[in-house]
Amino acid sequence: MKRVTGIGGIFFKARDPAALRDWYRKHLGIDVQEWGGTAFTWADEAGQPVKGTTIWSVSGADGDCFAPSRSSFMINYRVADLAALLQVLRAEGCNVLEKTDDSEYGKFGWVIDPEGNKVELWQPPAGQ
């Protein structure tokens, strides 16, 4: 079974998210949107767009969206079959969170790595 197929997103917290977003906009040219991040569109070797995006987002340090982890970041990994992977991870003794989410954006599940970081697993909707 194929496990991780790519990076779906990079999410991190900041003490001053607006200032940090501005820094990234000014110095690295990231097109930060009103919602606090951007979606990088994938391209092939020739620079032609292909289906898929990677989300980059900065949020406030006081939020609990990475709970139960106390880390300041979370990586979202694309997966082909979320249910099967979560089942395998549980069988391997990993700390898989019981909560899952199924929305218009796809299916989401979470596992805690050995360092206590919350890892998001994302099965994109069909066609993405």
Side-chain angles (χ1 to χ4, degrees):
M1 171 185 67
K2 195 165 198 170
R3 294 186 186 214
V4 169
T5 61
I7 302 284
I10 301 168
F11 306 91
F12 56 102
K13 297 179 181 181
R15 290 182 301 277
D16 187 343
L20 189 60
R21 289 181 201 123
D22 286 342
W23 186 92
Y24 276 96
R25 183 182 294 115
K26 177 180 178 181
H27 298 289
L28 298 183
I30 294 178
D31 183 22
V32 180
Q33 301 296 304
E34 288 296 318
W35 54 269
T38 195
F40 292 101
T41 303
W42 294 359
D44 64 16
E45 297 79 24
Q48 298 300 313
V50 296
K51 289 186 179 182
T53 57
T54 299
I55 300 298
W56 176 95
S57 179
V58 178
S59 63
D62 56 346
D64 65 351
C65 57
F66 304 162
S69 172
R70 297 190 322 180
S71 182
S72 62
F73 72 93
M74 182 176 68
I75 307 286
N76 165 293
Y77 294 98
R78 292 173 65 105
V79 301
D81 186 341
L82 179 65
L85 180 55
L86 293 177
Q87 184 177 10
V88 167
L89 292 174
R90 284 187 181 99
E92 293 173 346
C94 295
N95 182 5
V96 177
L97 301 183
E98 290 301 317
K99 180 185 184 291
T100 59
D101 187 29
D102 190 351
S103 74
E104 64 184 288
Y105 303 109
K107 298 177 182 179
F108 299 85
W110 298 269
V111 61
I112 305 298
D113 76 12
E115 293 285 324
N117 301 303
K118 186 177 183 182
V119 176
E120 186 169 67
L121 303 172
W122 172 50
Q123 180 182 331
Q128 287 192 25

